[in-house]
Amino acid sequence: TASMTLALLALFGHECPLVTAFSGPSTSYASQTQIGTLNLARPLQTRLPTAVPKTQLFATEADAPPRNKYDNLIQWLLSSNGNSYISPKVKILPSTRGGLATGGYGMFANEDLPEGELLLRIPRDCCVTIDDALNDMECGPAFQKLLEQAGSGADTVVIAGYLAKEYLLLKEYDRRLKAGEKPDGDAVMRRLSKIKFAPYLRTLPWERGVNAQEHVLFWEDEDVDALLKGSLAYADAVDTRSTVKYATTILNGIIGPVIRKARGEEEKVEEAGGFRFPWQEEEEKPSDEDEIVDGLEDAVRGAFVINLSRAFAAPSGADDGKEEDRLEPVLDMLQHSNTPNIKQKYTDDGSIEIMARGGIKSGEELFNKYKGEEDINMPYHKFFTRFGFVPGVTEPVANLI
C-alpha cells in the first residue's frame, strides 16, 4: 500500500537513494536551455479567435498527427491563461541540430526579431510544478508524505510520479475513446477528460527517439555495461538507473491503485474470486498491490527522462528566495546552445518571459542554454547522463562509442 511503501523511506532518512541521486546542483535559468520540438502549420496568434472559448482545453483525441499535436499544445497554452503569449513571428520547424534525421524540432524566427522583442510568456499555472503534484485530488496527500519523509531532492521523484500517473490515465482515456466511449459517458470518463496537461503530455518524449530524445534511462542494462563501463559516465548512469528502479517501487504504491481503478481492474479482481461456501478454503493469492502496474515502469522511466532533461530551477514565487523545479511548455522545445540568442526573465506573478537577444534574423533558429558547458558542476559526461546528449555532438552518442 502507499503507507507501507512510504514507511520504507523512514529507514533511509536523508540517505534515501531517491534523494542522493537528485539533490545535486539544479540547473538555473540564468544558465539554461533544453532539447525540444514543436511544429506549427500556421503563424502563432497572440490571442485566440473569439470562437475559441478561453477555458481549459482538456484531453484531445489520441494519435493526432505531429502537426496537430503541437497545434493543440499552442491552443491549450493560449486558452489556459489570458497572460499567455506566443509571438506570431516564431514558428516550429525541423531543427538544424539533426532535424528530421533525428526527429527533432526547434523554434525559428519567422521575421527579423529586434533586440528585446517579447517572444513567449508562459504563466506559472501553465507549468508543471510541485504544487500540481501536492494538490492532486487522487495522490496529493501521499506525495506530500513522500516529500516530508524523503526530504530535499524528492521533488524530482514526486513530479515524476505525478507525470507518470497523468500519462497513464491519458492512455486509458485514449483506449476508452477508441472503444467507442464518450468523454462524458460516465464518472471515470469525465475525470479522464479533464487531465490538466493532456496536450502537453502528448508532446513529451515518453519513449526513446521521440523528439530525438536519447537518455541512458532508455538503454538496456547490457548496453550500459558494454558502452559506458570504464567511462566517466558509467557510475552516474548506474546510480540514476538504480534510483529510478527504486522510485518505481515506491510510486507503484502511490499511483498504482489510481490506475487500476481507472482501468476497472479492481472490479475484475473481485469478480475473479467468485462465490464460495463457508466451508471452502480460500486460495492464497499474491497481493495485487505488490505487483507493478502494467505500463508503470515505462511511464516512470519516461517521466524521469522528461524531468531530468527538461525541468529547470525557477523562483518559487513565495518571496523566500528559494527556487523550484518546473516544466515550462513550449519553451522546453528550444534546442541548446552555449551562446543562446534568447534571454529570459521572471515576472512578479511567476510567469517567464522570453525575449530576443542581440537581434535575430528571419529563418534563424532560437537557442536556449540548458547549462553552461564550462560549468565545473556539469562536465560533458554529466551533460549526457542528465540531458541525453553531449554538447556539439548531433550524432547519437551510442553510435559514436
Side-chain angles (χ1 to χ4, degrees):
T1 65
S3 58
M4 291 174 62
T5 51
L6 286 170
L8 295 174
L9 295 174
L11 299 176
F12 294 93
H14 288 288
E15 295 304 315
C16 171
L18 294 179
V19 175
T20 55
F22 300 115
S23 57
S26 299
T27 302
S28 169
Y29 243 120
S31 56
Q32 99 167 43
T33 310
Q34 292 159 329
I35 280 191
T37 61
L38 215 84
N39 187 6
L40 299 176
R42 56 184 179 273
L44 297 169
Q45 307 175 59
T46 61
R47 297 293 179 197
L48 287 174
T50 54
V52 180
K54 282 187 173 295
T55 56
Q56 172 76 53
L57 292 182
F58 296 125
T60 54
E61 293 186 5
D63 302 326
R67 176 177 295 174
N68 292 345
K69 178 171 65 174
Y70 296 121
D71 281 349
N72 289 340
L73 172 64
I74 298 302
Q75 188 180 43
W76 166 79
L77 181 66
L78 292 174
S79 66
S80 294
N81 188 296
N83 288 326
S84 298
Y85 174 82
I86 302 178
S87 170
K89 297 181 181 181
V90 297
K91 60 182 178 180
I92 307 306
L93 296 169
S95 173
T96 57
R97 301 295 172 90
L100 290 179
T102 63
Y105 286 82
M107 181 171 281
F108 290 76
N110 202 29
E111 301 178 20
D112 290 348
L113 303 172
E115 163 73 28
E117 177 156 351
L118 180 65
L119 308 178
L120 303 172
R121 183 190 300 113
I122 304 170
R124 183 178 183 272
D125 65 4
C126 292
C127 303
V128 181
T129 70
I130 191 69
D131 288 347
D132 291 297
L134 300 183
N135 294 325
D136 182 66
M137 61 183 177
E138 294 143 338
C139 299
F143 284 143
Q144 180 66 55
K145 190 171 183 181
L146 172 60
L147 196 63
E148 291 170 355
Q149 293 188 346
S152 175
D155 289 30
T156 300
V157 181
V158 170
I159 293 176
Y162 171 75
L163 287 172
K165 176 184 75 75
E166 295 291 273
Y167 174 65
L168 289 173
L169 291 178
L170 183 60
K171 291 186 71 175
E172 175 61 15
Y173 177 68
D174 291 344
R175 184 193 69 78
R176 288 173 175 245
L177 283 180
K178 287 182 178 180
E181 295 188 41
K182 303 298 183 183
D184 59 351
D186 59 22
V188 174
M189 283 298 283
R190 286 192 291 274
R191 157 64 183 99
L192 296 179
S193 70
K194 292 177 172 60
I195 296 172
K196 178 181 178 182
F197 294 103
Y200 179 49
L201 295 177
R202 294 190 188 282
T203 68
L204 295 174
W206 294 97
E207 300 174 1
R208 186 180 188 181
V210 175
N211 295 357
Q213 182 67 62
E214 174 67 289
H215 206 281
V216 292
L217 288 177
F218 288 139
W219 292 15
E220 299 294 335
D221 289 340
E222 53 267 31
D223 292 331
V224 174
D225 288 339
L227 297 176
L228 296 182
K229 202 164 189 177
S231 73
L232 293 173
Y234 183 70
D236 214 27
V238 170
D239 286 348
T240 300
R241 290 166 60 84
S242 297
T243 298
V244 171
K245 289 179 181 178
Y246 177 74
T248 300
T249 302
I250 299 297
L251 292 172
N252 184 63
I254 296 175
I255 68 178
V258 177
I259 305 305
R260 288 193 180 96
K261 183 177 180 180
R263 293 173 177 172
E265 293 176 358
E266 290 180 342
E267 297 172 6
K268 293 176 184 177
V269 170
E270 291 176 3
E271 293 171 1
F275 173 79
R276 286 182 179 276
F277 288 104
W279 58 83
Q280 289 180 304
E281 291 185 8
E282 197 171 332
E283 297 179 14
E284 289 188 11
K285 301 174 186 176
S287 171
D288 255 4
E289 293 178 345
D290 295 332
E291 297 179 5
I292 301 296
V293 169
D294 184 43
L296 187 136
E297 288 183 275
D298 289 340
V300 170
R301 184 185 303 113
F304 270 97
V305 169
I306 291 163
N307 224 4
L308 290 172
S309 63
R310 290 170 173 256
F312 291 97
S316 67
D319 295 326
D320 55 7
K322 294 182 179 179
E323 293 185 326
E324 64 177 2
D325 287 339
R326 71 190 202 187
L327 295 165
E328 296 166 329
V330 179
L331 175 59
D332 63 4
M333 304 188 77
L334 271 65
Q335 301 281 356
H336 166 78
S337 172
N338 204 44
T339 55
N341 55 5
I342 60 100
K343 54 187 177 182
Q344 58 276 316
K345 73 172 184 178
Y346 286 96
T347 62
D348 292 340
D349 65 0
S351 298
I352 181 168
E353 295 184 343
I354 303 302
M355 289 81 65
R357 179 198 295 267
I360 302 171
K361 296 295 184 183
S362 178
E364 290 184 0
E365 184 167 4
L366 308 183
F367 290 104
N368 200 354
K369 181 189 284 189
Y370 299 0
K371 190 74 174 176
E373 296 173 15
E374 68 287 341
D375 191 327
I376 60 173
N377 293 316
M378 190 62 70
Y380 277 14
H381 70 277
K382 286 189 176 292
F383 234 99
F384 175 63
T385 55
R386 171 164 182 171
F387 296 111
F389 71 100
V390 176
V393 178
T394 57
E395 178 78 6
V397 173
N399 293 352
L400 301 176
I401 300 177

